[in-house]
Amino acid sequence: MSPWKDAWNNFRKNKTALVGLCIVLFFILLAIFSPIIAPQGINEQDLSKRLQAPSADHWFGTDDFGRDILSRVIHGARISLWVGFFAVVGSATVGSLLGIIAGYYGRWVDTIISRMFDIMLAFPSILLAIAVVAALGPSLRNALIAIAIINIPNFGRLIRSRVLSVKQEEYVMAARAIGMSDMRILFSHVLPNSMAPIIVQGTLAIATAIIEAAALGFLGLGAQPPEPEWGKMLSDARTFMLQAPWTMIFPGLAIMLTVLGFNLMGDGMRDALDPKMKN
């Protein structure tokens, strides 16, 4: 049995992880088919129906412009998952590359890269993201870039520690002995044997990225009107929190469930890919 098939067999035995996987798949399908599923247009306004409570016509109620909250929450899944996925792909790519170089070559290269990671980690992540977006300008794209930047050290330090262990293995030493180039060793031997922690960290990082995107949207630094981003929806609804609590409840639930799904799935993947967790 291949290691990945073995990991899948271990994963599916974890009921909690399967619940997380189902939640994630639900929101992914929601994002893919949002134009079909959404009952109304995301920007269709009817001021005569503003701040209506949930009903048969509007299952999640309406906002202060009379827009259907259910439709906006459904479309918001596409935005949040898009930001979370591509921000993590960017940070994992750059962080893993820097971590591999630092761990494999060591010495002054490792010192410079590690100190750079330490400096970035010295700042609270959300404050660093705010600083990046403030420098680039508020927009969804710039929020994605900011989230990718602040997560680079997490992947870099993780892969560095893994490379420090892998490069001492006999097959890596044998590859050096026969004259294999450093690039070929890194991408043929070191990186493939360091993928498991990257996958687990990436899954958990998507949940963090969704929260960070919502936080930037709440502060007005992420998605701009009329984009139906969940954090922005929470920000717009805070004025009507007591008058129309449903305007905050449903976007908040969407964030909570999505993050919960990725966290449960990430924990299950960690247990499935960690040899120490196997019976």
Side-chain angles (χ1 to χ4, degrees), residues 113-205:
I113 295 176
S114 296
R115 295 297 80 78
M116 181 181 68
F117 289 159
D118 291 339
I119 292 172
M120 294 178 68
L121 290 171
F123 295 93
S125 58
I126 190 62
L127 292 182
L128 183 57
I130 291 173
V132 173
V133 175
L136 298 177
S139 71
L140 188 62
R141 184 193 64 181
N142 292 340
L144 187 155
I145 294 172
I147 294 169
I149 290 173
I150 64 177
N151 283 294
I152 287 175
N154 298 326
F155 286 96
R157 297 183 71 177
L158 177 67
I159 195 67
R160 173 186 173 273
S161 63
R162 179 64 179 168
V163 170
L164 289 174
S165 174
V166 170
K167 75 176 185 178
Q168 302 300 326
E169 298 290 339
E170 293 181 357
Y171 56 86
V172 175
M173 295 181 180
R176 289 178 183 167
I178 63 175
M180 188 177 292
S181 66
D182 288 344
M183 292 296 292
R184 189 174 177 186
I185 292 174
L186 287 174
F187 290 100
S188 297
H189 297 290
V190 177
L191 183 59
N193 288 280
S194 305
M195 285 301 296
I198 295 176
I199 293 172
V200 174
Q201 177 63 25
T203 305
L204 296 171

Side-chain angles (χ1 to χ4, degrees), residues 23-239:
I23 294 174
V24 170
L25 289 176
F26 170 76
F27 279 98
I28 290 175
L29 292 174
L30 205 66
I32 293 173
F33 298 105
S34 56
I36 301 174
I37 299 173
Q40 297 185 18
I42 57 176
N43 294 317
E44 290 183 11
Q45 301 182 17
D46 187 351
L47 295 179
S48 64
K49 296 181 179 180
R50 66 188 303 268
L51 299 179
Q52 283 192 353
S55 62
D57 295 329
H58 302 281
W59 290 5
F60 286 5
T62 61
D63 62 9
D64 54 319
F65 289 101
R67 297 174 296 193
D68 184 64
I69 294 178
L70 173 59
S71 300
R72 293 179 64 79
V73 168
I74 291 174
H75 279 273
R78 173 175 291 189
I79 295 175
S80 294
L81 291 177
W82 178 79
V83 171
F85 178 78
F86 283 103
V88 169
V89 168
S91 58
T93 301
V94 177
S96 297
L97 181 61
L98 292 174
I100 287 175
I101 294 173
Y104 186 78
Y105 289 104
R107 299 184 179 180
W108 62 271
V109 176
D110 184 19
T111 301
I112 293 175
I113 295 176
S114 296
R115 295 297 80 78
M116 181 181 68
F117 289 159
D118 291 339
I119 292 172
M120 294 178 68
L121 290 171
F123 295 93
S125 58
I126 190 62
L127 292 182
L128 183 57
I130 291 173
V132 173
V133 175
L136 298 177
S139 71
L140 188 62
R141 184 193 64 181
N142 292 340
L144 187 155
I145 294 172
I147 294 169
I149 290 173
I150 64 177
N151 283 294
I152 287 175
N154 298 326
F155 286 96
R157 297 183 71 177
L158 177 67
I159 195 67
R160 173 186 173 273
S161 63
R162 179 64 179 168
V163 170
L164 289 174
S165 174
V166 170
K167 75 176 185 178
Q168 302 300 326
E169 298 290 339
E170 293 181 357
Y171 56 86
V172 175
M173 295 181 180
R176 289 178 183 167
I178 63 175
M180 188 177 292
S181 66
D182 288 344
M183 292 296 292
R184 189 174 177 186
I185 292 174
L186 287 174
F187 290 100
S188 297
H189 297 290
V190 177
L191 183 59
N193 288 280
S194 305
M195 285 301 296
I198 295 176
I199 293 172
V200 174
Q201 177 63 25
T203 305
L204 296 171
I206 292 176
T208 304
I210 290 173
I211 294 177
E212 290 166 344
L216 291 174
F218 187 85
L219 296 173
L221 298 174
Q224 300 299 303
E227 292 284 351
E229 195 272 326
W230 291 337
K232 182 60 179 174
M233 292 175 66
L234 288 175
S235 177
D236 295 338
R238 58 184 172 176
T239 308

